Amino acid sequence: MRARNFTGCLFTLPRIISFLLFWLFPLLYSLLLGFTDYRLMRPSFQWVGFDNFIALLSDRAFLISLKNTFIFVLGTIPVTTVTALFLALLIEKKFPGRTIFRSGYFMPSITAMVVIALVFANLYSRGGYIYLLAEMLGLAPPENGFLLDNRTALISIMAMDVWMSVGYYMLIFLAGLKSIPRELYEAAEVAGAGAWCKFRSITLPLLKPVALFIIVINTIKSFQVFVEVFVMTKGKYDTSTAVYFIYESGLNRFEFGYASAAAYILFLIIAIFSLVQFRLFRRRAIW
Amino acid sequence: MKNVICFTVTALAAVLLSCSSGDRRSGVVTLDWWQFWTDPSVKPTIEQIVADFEAQNPGINISITDLTWANGHEKIVMAFASGTAPDIVELGSDWIPELSSAGKLADLTGDAAGDSADFSAWTPGTYDNQIYAFPWILGTRVLYINTVLMTRAGYDEDFVPFNWPQLKELCYKIDSLGKDMYGFGANAAEKHRLYKKFLPFLWSNGGSIMSRDGSFSTIASDKSYAALKFYKELCDSTGMVDTQRRLEDAFLEGKVGVIISGDWLLKRIRNEQHDIPFITALIPGPKFPGKSFVGGEYLAVSRQSKYKSAAIKFIRFLTSRDNQLLFCKANYTATPSSKTAAKDPFFAKDPQLQTFVKQLNLSKMPKVDQHWVYIEDVLETTLENVLYQGAPVAESLYEAKLEIEKIVSGQ
Amino acid sequence: MVRAGRYLLLVFILAVMVFPLLWMFRVSLLPAAGTLSFTDFISSGYTVATYYDIFTSGNMLRYFINSAVVGAAVTAGNILFCFMVGYAFSRYRFIGKNFWFFSIIFVLMIPAHIIIIPLYLLVHHLGLYDTYGALILPFLVNPIGIFLVKQYIDTLPTAVEEAARMDGAGELRILFRVVMPLCRPALAVLAIQVFLTNWNSFLFPFILTSSESVRTLPVGLALYQGHQAIDWPHLMAGSSLAVIPVLVIFLFFQRHIVSGITAGAIKQ
């Protein structure tokens, strides 16, 4: 057993080295700055304790950005996860043309986010194809386009995000489906189980670790939504998100201590969310 | 699997090999220059000017790094904040104070003394009466009018609106030409863009943001009230509300009659060969032509640069009359910072460019200091609320005044 | 009837997924820049001149190669390292395991904008600034990859490994000969994901390099976005071309996802 522990440590060495060399310093550096009034370009700064954190909790811009981030996370993750699973199930079985569909569904994930955001900014604008489609369906789109209206801007970005990420999560679900032994299904069929029953009692439970991965990763990524907002609205029309706020205050207004504190508040929120997710999935799935 | 590992090893070896490359010849000074002109129509001119400089100064090499507009500011900030800044950097006029006030830029006051008379717009490069950046290429905004729509609306072809009532009437008449026709291009709540469109109206009406000594805000005055009221009415009743980029598209497609834009649109019309009939005109004021907004590109030297005198030499070369002209001709830019360059027949021959040259003499910059990022934010929020969220004009301006004064007094 | 309905659904979803990309491709074929007029989308002409231009003017080809080299190196490194680390987290017990595991995920939770300045400093001090090293070394062990592999190995039965161990196989042998083949679907997903992220990564390459000799494709493409105007045809043509290598990688690796575990492997 001892030898195996040693091997375990050895195997994790690449990560440990990479972490210590490249990531520990940046993490600690930013954490410490969160407790100072450091501004970029100013050499002197002071330890201010929790002042930044207290100030942030009454900073309206920050709270609004948190609100939008929560809307984004809670709005996209269920939709993305369920759609991705649905797509995976839809194309899991062999049928003619499967590769085309699979590749097609994955295509949105391939393209760079900045480009996608620019493309959608056009599709969403007055006279763009999504705008025209909405008009055709009699949905009365906002006069100046979807992104230039408080009511629709954030939700439009969310829709784009779902469109963009389902293909990738579909792929992970596919890989997960492949790890389920065929024999289980065969046995269930022998016992006379229907499709829904098989899905409930075999597929879903055995997909748990993979589903946990998808949800945790997607949560972490979605809480940090930035590029879309940066490219499409620059935080206007009620679309400012937490990382956009951090970017603005840190790199535009140079309040780096303040921005670091905001980043660690966000970190705390994400960590709590993730731990809850781990807990919920704990039964037999995780370490 | 073996293949994968072999590949890793090869790739890592390639990395290590590439790390050790470097071609610093002895006795030759290499200056790093970060700049933003990456457009294929301008980059060759930049490279040519650099080659000319290197030919004239055999001891100096210039190494150009291209920055992107979307993220260049971040890269500059990071380099200066971490003490790894390049020798020479191109800066937008509103980025200079953050660096000059922090002591990151070399003091060029002595070196600028000889040139100062020939350049316009020293102010953004100045901090505490010292000069930290040379003005290079300026940019101002004028009125673009679609003449076909104008004549269809019943005007003569050579009509030019030069005051507010005329502008308003023109926009109204064009707006009523059809259902999908708009009079005036109104900027949506676009960061760093919206306020630049309103300030000309404010200034033209004699309004201002700050008092002369900067101790209190004058944004809540009768003059700014009237200006915002006028601008809002123009947007509400005849405005196509969209981003600057799409407004320009709409203008080129003949869907909007009047927009405010810079000389980049002239260049675009020329490069893309649009056959749109249009004229440019000075920004109208309440009674007579008013003031426009001007910004610009500046050149500065990092305080840490080891080759300050060589860097200054290069900046003076770039901003010399001849090279500014060369650049303006290649880039179809109307507003060099050199006053003698602006007198060149190149600008006088072209009526559109001429409008810009004239407008430059009738234009202003907001006073940019360390408070400016915050003031800009207040200004933009106020405009958004008034123009697009239906907030009352007078109350919003008064709130803006209080906010700005809070910022200035350091709360 | 059911089958026809199913195909109809598949095709409908396909249309939704692909349309914006077709739009991107269509814009790349527009002759010269111009306004993005939507109404005469079909009639406004086609040209491949932009593609020709991309390869002949400027250094786009060089950026392409840089991106490919960096992408391949990072992907290969990740397959190897993430697999090892992920396996250790799934199967072994060792001191500080939970700490290290969370340290992995925690790194993901801090926005890049906050850690990029210290990382930039670090890269400078290590002498890696403006080299391939800056683009490769920090990214060789991707936290998401470790997490993915760990979660996947968690779903695999331990029976096969135990059997091999009984037969006296060493740990390395078990790792590479027994477990790795079983992990093919996950490693394929990993490869696709890592290559993809790296291929499209903009912020880090932009900040950590300067010269054209190490510039990657997304940074090169970003230069088409001017201050006041976007060169749409060039940007879209470049982006369409950028899709191809990822698509190739995807098509290459997806077989492993779908073929999954060879039928007999797991029975034993």
Side-chain angles (χ1 to χ4, degrees):
Chain A
M1 204 58 205
R2 177 157 297 178
R4 284 188 62 194
N5 290 345
F6 179 70
T7 326
C9 286
L10 215 60
F11 284 170
T12 55
L13 219 54
R15 176 61 206 170
I16 293 175
I17 292 171
S18 145
F19 179 73
L20 294 179
L21 189 61
F22 286 107
W23 301 104
L24 185 64
F25 167 68
L27 288 174
L28 286 179
Y29 179 97
S30 53
L31 177 60
L32 288 180
L33 285 187
F35 294 94
T36 67
D37 61 357
Y38 177 65
R39 292 177 63 94
L40 287 177
M41 313 284 177
R42 308 274 158 195
S44 67
F45 54 91
Q46 282 176 353
W47 191 261
V48 294
F50 283 91
D51 283 9
N52 284 335
F53 295 89
I54 294 162
L56 275 165
L57 292 179
S58 56
D59 184 333
R60 217 172 136 250
F62 182 61
L63 295 178
I64 288 177
S65 75
L66 276 185
K67 178 208 80 180
N68 289 335
T69 310
F70 272 105
I71 293 177
F72 187 90
V73 170
L74 298 176
T76 55
I77 290 186
V79 181
T80 307
T81 314
V82 171
T83 316
L85 178 59
F86 176 74
L87 290 183
L89 292 168
L90 200 61
I91 60 169
E92 192 216 350
K93 288 209 187 68
K94 266 209 172 87
F95 61 86
R98 183 170 63 150
T99 313
I100 295 173
F101 289 111
R102 195 167 47 217
S103 317
Y105 297 174
F106 187 65
M107 285 284 276
S109 315
I110 289 181
T111 317
M113 177 93 79
V114 176
V115 176
I116 295 282
L118 287 170
V119 166
F120 269 78
N122 273 292
L123 297 177
Y124 278 141
S125 61
R126 183 204 333 255
Y129 278 110
I130 294 179
Y131 188 91
L132 292 179
L133 184 74
E135 260 180 351
M136 251 164 57
L137 298 174
L139 290 177
E143 198 201 335
N144 303 323
F146 286 96
L147 294 176
L148 303 180
D149 190 297
N150 280 9
R151 288 160 303 170
T152 51
L154 184 61
I155 213 157
S156 305
I157 296 179
M158 288 162 63
M160 179 187 83
D161 198 78
V162 170
W163 174 83
M164 191 167 172
S165 46
V166 282
Y168 169 60
Y169 295 116
M170 168 198 82
L171 210 62
I172 298 174
F173 270 127
L174 270 180
L177 286 172
K178 287 298 158 191
S179 74
I180 301 173
R182 294 285 126 210
E183 296 80 9
L184 290 178
Y185 290 111
E186 282 158 21
E189 268 157 35
V190 171
W196 175 244
C197 180
K198 278 189 289 179
F199 177 72
R200 278 289 311 273
S201 53
I202 301 173
T203 315
L204 268 192
L206 288 177
L207 271 184
K208 250 187 185 176
V210 169
L212 173 70
F213 168 80
I214 288 174
I215 291 174
V216 169
I217 290 300
N218 201 1
T219 306
I220 294 175
K221 271 169 66 176
S222 301
F223 264 114
Q224 298 184 48
V225 52
F226 169 75
V227 177
E228 299 93 316
V229 177
F230 178 73
V231 175
M232 297 171 95
T233 58
K234 291 261 193 303
K236 300 288 180 186
Y237 297 102
D238 205 9
T239 57
S240 175
T241 60
V243 175
Y244 190 79
F245 175 88
I246 290 165
Y247 162 81
E248 276 278 307
S249 75
L251 292 176
N252 240 358
R253 293 201 292 265
F254 293 1
E255 305 150 335
F256 212 71
Y258 197 59
S260 298
Y264 274 87
I265 290 180
L266 180 66
F267 165 81
L268 216 62
I269 294 172
I270 304 177
I272 291 170
F273 251 76
S274 305
L275 286 176
V276 169
Q277 288 166 344
F278 272 104
R279 273 280 149 74
L280 288 178
F281 274 83
R282 189 148 208 177
R283 265 191 303 154
R284 75 184 282 222
I286 349 289
W287 66 90
Chain B
M1 198 57 226
K2 263 193 197 131
N3 295 341
V4 171
I5 294 168
C6 282
F7 195 84
T8 319
V9 173
T10 327
L12 288 179
V15 170
L16 295 175
L17 282 178
S18 68
C19 290
S20 56
S21 71
D23 56 343
R24 306 231 155 177
R25 278 173 286 152
S26 57
V28 174
V29 167
T30 300
L31 297 176
D32 283 324
W33 176 34
W34 288 9
Q35 64 94 31
F36 288 87
W37 302 98
T38 57
D39 181 340
S41 66
V42 200
K43 188 76 193 293
T45 313
I46 294 280
E47 281 164 353
Q48 188 203 325
I49 295 175
V50 165
D52 289 350
F53 178 76
E54 287 173 342
Q56 287 176 29
N57 300 275
I60 309 174
N61 257 350
I62 306 290
S63 142
I64 305 177
T65 293
D66 296 334
L67 298 181
T68 63
W69 275 109
N71 301 73
H73 182 231
E74 281 149 75
K75 183 149 172 154
I76 293 173
V77 167
M78 250 170 244
F80 275 98
S82 61
T84 54
D87 300 285
I88 307 157
V89 62
E90 176 188 343
L91 295 169
S93 50
D94 43 354
W95 300 343
I96 306 170
E98 65 199 26
L99 297 173
S100 58
S101 67
K104 298 284 180 187
L105 300 179
D107 186 343
L108 309 177
T109 316
D111 308 283
D115 300 314
S116 57
D118 186 38
F119 286 92
S120 28
W122 281 106
T123 328
T126 311
Y127 177 78
D128 253 1
N129 295 320
Q130 307 296 307
I131 290 173
Y132 291 95
F134 267 63
W136 184 21
I137 300 298
L138 305 174
T140 189
R141 285 111 179 111
V142 301
L143 223 51
Y144 283 74
I145 304 164
N146 183 324
T147 41
V148 167
L149 297 182
M150 186 165 78
T151 43
R152 264 178 61 199
Y155 287 88
D156 285 341
E157 217 170 82
D158 53 359
F159 175 77
V160 172
F162 74 88
N163 61 27
W164 285 1
Q166 288 177 352
L167 173 68
K168 191 168 144 185
E169 198 189 325
L170 174 65
C171 290
Y172 269 80
K173 283 192 174 160
I174 293 178
D175 195 68
S176 54
L177 284 178
K179 197 175 136 280
D180 284 324
M181 195 64 74
Y182 295 88
F184 180 70
N187 285 73
E190 230 188 324
K191 211 169 171 52
H192 306 311
R193 289 221 167 88
L194 176 58
Y195 80 91
K196 291 179 183 170
K197 295 294 151 48
F198 170 65
L199 284 185
F201 289 86
L202 178 76
W203 289 332
S204 299
N205 204 30
S208 58
I209 305 167
M210 298 302 294
S211 65
R212 204 166 275 273
D213 63 353
S215 61
F216 62 95
S217 170
T218 48
I219 191 79
S221 67
D222 288 349
K223 285 167 180 166
S224 43
Y225 175 80
L228 185 51
K229 195 107 173 132
F230 175 78
Y231 187 77
K232 181 177 164 58
E233 208 185 308
L234 202 57
C235 295
D236 280 353
S237 40
T238 78
M240 163 188 262
V241 181
D242 218 320
T243 60
Q244 179 70 22
R245 230 170 245 156
R246 295 186 46 77
L247 287 176
E248 284 163 13
D249 276 4
F251 180 76
L252 296 177
E253 285 164 8
K255 290 177 191 157
V256 56
V258 182
I259 66 167
I260 297 174
S261 187
D263 52 6
W264 61 83
L265 187 57
L266 284 183
K267 182 183 167 190
R268 182 174 167 197
I269 291 171
R270 188 190 65 167
N271 286 359
E272 295 173 7
Q273 297 163 1
H274 292 282
D275 49 3
I276 176 164
F278 73 100
I279 51 163
T280 51
L282 298 176
I283 303 264
K287 294 198 179 70
F288 304 106
K291 287 202 164 78
S292 183
F293 180 95
V294 60
E297 300 305 308
Y298 285 69
L299 292 161
V301 177
S302 162
R303 183 173 223 147
Q304 287 184 322
S305 170
K306 278 182 248 155
Y307 314 113
K308 204 180 132 190
S309 60
I312 291 165
K313 207 172 192 182
F314 179 62
I315 288 185
R316 294 180 69 148
F317 188 78
L318 270 176
T319 55
S320 69
R321 192 197 90 100
D322 290 349
N323 283 325
Q324 286 205 24
L325 262 181
L326 195 68
F327 180 90
C328 287
K329 284 176 184 167
N331 196 34
Y332 207 50
T333 296
T335 43
S337 63
S338 158
K339 286 177 197 160
T340 46
K343 292 203 181 89
D344 191 87
F346 170 69
F347 302 107
K349 268 189 311 201
D350 186 325
Q352 316 295 10
L353 291 179
Q354 194 54 39
T355 313
F356 280 90
V357 175
K358 279 186 196 151
Q359 185 75 71
L360 188 64
N361 294 323
L362 279 171
S363 59
K364 257 182 98 162
M365 282 185 184
K367 187 170 173 285
V368 175
D369 56 16
Q370 69 270 32
H371 299 308
W372 177 248
V373 257
Y374 301 96
I375 297 176
E376 184 191 318
D377 213 38
V378 172
L379 216 55
E380 278 191 329
T381 316
T382 308
L383 289 174
E384 274 164 53
N385 289 342
V386 169
L387 296 175
Y388 304 121
Q389 310 297 338
V393 178
E395 284 85 340
S396 305
L397 283 174
Y398 188 67
E399 276 167 35
K401 172 191 161 72
L402 297 181
E403 285 279 319
I404 291 174
E405 282 168 0
K406 245 201 250 170
I407 292 165
V408 178
S409 66
Q411 285 173 25
Chain C
M1 197 55 214
V2 175
R3 236 174 105 188
R6 193 183 144 99
Y7 263 101
L8 217 61
L9 181 65
L10 284 165
V11 170
F12 172 73
I13 299 174
L14 186 69
V16 171
M17 297 308 264
V18 173
F19 179 75
L21 302 170
L22 285 179
W23 188 87
M24 170 176 98
F25 184 60
R26 175 64 188 94
V27 171
S28 77
L29 296 174
L30 285 176
T35 62
L36 291 176
S37 185
F38 299 98
T39 35
D40 55 352
F41 202 63
I42 294 152
S43 61
S44 49
Y46 295 81
T47 176
V48 288
T50 318
Y51 286 88
Y52 179 75
D53 194 42
I54 280 184
F55 280 110
T56 49
S57 72
N59 286 323
M60 218 34 97
L61 199 62
R62 173 82 212 218
Y63 308 157
F64 221 87
I65 294 168
N66 285 338
S67 270
V69 169
V70 171
V74 171
T75 308
N78 270 286
I79 292 179
L80 179 63
F81 295 137
C82 291
F83 173 61
M84 279 166 62
V85 180
Y87 179 69
F89 277 118
S90 178
R91 292 296 198 245
Y92 294 124
R93 280 192 204 140
F94 50 87
I95 302 157
K97 176 172 152 174
N98 278 352
F99 169 78
W100 288 116
F101 185 68
F102 277 110
S103 85
I104 286 167
I105 304 185
F106 284 169
V107 171
L108 292 173
M109 295 181 186
I110 302 292
H113 292 102
I114 289 300
I115 45 179
I116 195 153
I117 290 185
L119 185 66
Y120 175 86
L121 278 170
L122 200 62
V123 163
H124 257 287
H125 282 292
L126 294 174
L128 292 173
Y129 181 76
D130 207 19
T131 64
Y132 279 139
L135 303 178
I136 296 174
L137 295 177
F139 309 102
L140 276 181
V141 204
N142 177 341
I144 297 184
I146 298 173
F147 187 25
L148 172 71
V149 172
K150 178 198 169 292
Q151 291 305 101
Y152 193 82
I153 294 178
D154 280 348
T155 67
L156 296 176
T158 52
V160 197
E161 295 152 58
E162 296 304 334
R165 208 161 270 134
M166 293 292 216
D167 293 343
E171 293 298 313
L172 274 179
R173 201 184 154 74
I174 294 175
L175 183 68
F176 288 111
R177 287 289 152 78
V178 180
V179 185
M180 200 174 220
L182 292 179
C183 286
R184 263 167 47 202
L187 293 180
V189 172
L190 172 72
I192 293 170
Q193 196 252 317
V194 168
F195 186 82
L196 184 63
T197 317
N198 204 271
W199 185 259
N200 289 333
S201 158
F202 172 79
L203 187 64
F204 286 102
F206 177 72
I207 300 292
L208 300 179
T209 66
S210 279
S211 50
E212 292 187 10
S213 59
V214 289
R215 184 175 294 160
T216 59
L217 195 60
V219 182
L221 286 179
L223 295 174
Y224 287 125
Q225 283 174 260
H227 190 22
Q228 306 292 357
I230 292 181
D231 187 342
W232 285 103
H234 276 89
L235 180 64
M236 292 301 147
S239 305
S240 303
L241 285 175
V243 166
I244 295 169
V246 196
L247 199 61
V248 170
I249 296 270
F250 172 76
L251 289 174
F252 177 76
F253 279 105
Q254 65 146 2
R255 285 179 300 132
H256 297 281
I257 302 173
V258 192
S259 67
I261 304 148
T262 40
I266 221 146
K267 285 182 186 166
Q268 301 269 338

